[in-house]
Amino acid sequence: MATSPSMTPESLLAGAATKGIGILGSGDALHPAWRKAWEEHENGTGIAVLPTAEVEGKGRVHHLILMEDFSAFEDLATVFAPHSKDIATGGRPHVHLTGEAIAAAVHDLGGLVGPAHAFTPWTSLYAAHDSVTSCYGGEKIDFLELGLSADTSYGAGIRELDGVPFLSNSDAHSTHPAKLGREFNGLDLDRVTPEAAFDAVRRGKITLNTGFFPEEGKYNRTACTRCYTPYSLEEAVHLGWTCPEDGGKIKKGVFDRARELGGGDPSERPPYYHVIPLGEIIRVVLGVSSATTKKVEARYYRLIEIFGTEIAVLAEVPVAEIREADPAVGAAVEAFREGKVHLVPGGGGKYGTFTLP
């Protein structure tokens, strides 16, 4: 569903190598054919594949699930089958159970579970509930996924989340560099295996969260879902959540929702490193509308050939070396690292944008 046919184990692992990712979440591990594809794939890349899945439970809340091996997802699919019509056909199946029942089933099989993209306004924990316990009852959450429109600061002031590890992940519907690995985590590992990654999340051994500036997300600010006109929370309430420009529905943004829920002193968290995908930086440098154009891709893969991975270009390679290889992109990466980008927040379903000096 809404996924590129190029999404195969081979292409995902190749894309992860290009990005510089050492551990890849499989996604969709409840789907029998996708599970089989991974189980039969001979992975000689050195990249570990952690079995993961996302389900939609009651109240349209999305839950992210991690397991140590794919066989546990086969067992979980059996548990969910009486409560789902698409458990064998949907990549993100609908499971007609409460968050508490879903979490209990996952925990019974030794897995980890937490809310996916917890603040987004349509299908998330905080869209449907005002608290974790309202959704999960007596079952604990093992982590909380922030989502593209939020960073650590959005959840760090919410008292009920103290002690809950934050994950910065993003799902990918294609293996294009602009989509795969847009957000990622740093884990404290002594070896690169699925079991070690699972244990690191279980123990909260997350050393770094990396992802979008929240303003880049498409639900960051309160805005109309038709014309994307932004509104303050006070304006939206006054207008009855209806846009006067075109009658469209105004949707509360993650920024305002997090402020409603928070207010406490931020708890101590690992650092959050904001990134702009390299393809998007090149797109702005070239003045084109899409990061998937051939011009952008040519510049992108030339830099990858020289420096190895996208993460290296964004965060590790000295700017002087990037400037030598590509003066315009090097200058743009320097501006990005120094925080000199101007962000135009997204909202209502439209991604945010940025300009460079």
Side-chain angles (χ1 to χ4, degrees), residues 247-261:
K249 183 179 180 62
I250 299 173
K251 202 66 178 172
K252 186 183 296 182
V254 169
F255 177 79
D256 287 322
R257 182 57 172 145
R259 285 198 304 171
E260 287 180 337
L261 295 162

Side-chain angles (χ1 to χ4, degrees), residues 15 27 48 55 72 79 83 92 132 182 186 220 236 262 265-266 283 314 352:
V55 300
V79 175
H83 311 282
R92 188 198 60 224
V132 171
R182 294 174 292 179
N220 183 255
D265 293 330
R283 176 188 67 79
L314 290 175

